Amino acid sequence: MSDDFGNEFFNLMDLIRSDPMALALARDTTGPGLDVSSQFNYVIGLAGRLVQNGIILYLPPGRYRLPHNTAEPNPRTRYELPENVQLYLCQGALLRPELNVDLIIRGSLRAGKYQVFGYERDVPSGIAGVTTAPQGR
């Protein structure tokens, strides 16, 4: 798919291929997913240096987790994609912000009519009709 684009195209899995467990974690449909915080921070930093050129951040099928950075003094972790970044989630890609995580998309979001965001639900067992709110924002 990256052959259809120029050098503005960044496939998330290409950015993490150096980690042999990454693909398995991303494709695990029962676990929390692959931590992609460093890849998001890399693209955010790169976009800040490429003011005139846009970036497409492509997420192939898989589960991707944006974790809360507990080392920060701020109670919330913020990932802010600037205007020149298009977040492109294909069918089967699920981005999962954790509790106390804010994902701000100032650019555009490209996806079809399918779920692209997910979260963990903490529902007490045996209670019917309980609704929960997403953890991240």
Side-chain angles (χ1 to χ4, degrees), residues 83-105:
E83 291 87 3
N84 61 342
V85 174
Q86 179 184 99
L87 185 58
Y88 182 177
L89 292 111
C90 78
Q91 189 164 8
L94 190 65
L95 188 56
R96 305 178 75 186
E98 289 185 349
L99 181 64
N100 295 323
V101 169
D102 296 331
L103 173 62
I104 295 140
I105 302 169

Side-chain angles (χ1 to χ4, degrees), residues 37-38 41 67-80 99-102:
S37 57
S38 61
N41 288 330
H68 172 58
N69 185 351
T70 56
E72 290 181 6
N74 188 342
R76 300 196 71 83
T77 300
R78 182 179 176 121
Y79 299 92
E80 186 169 345
L99 181 64
N100 295 323
V101 169
D102 296 331

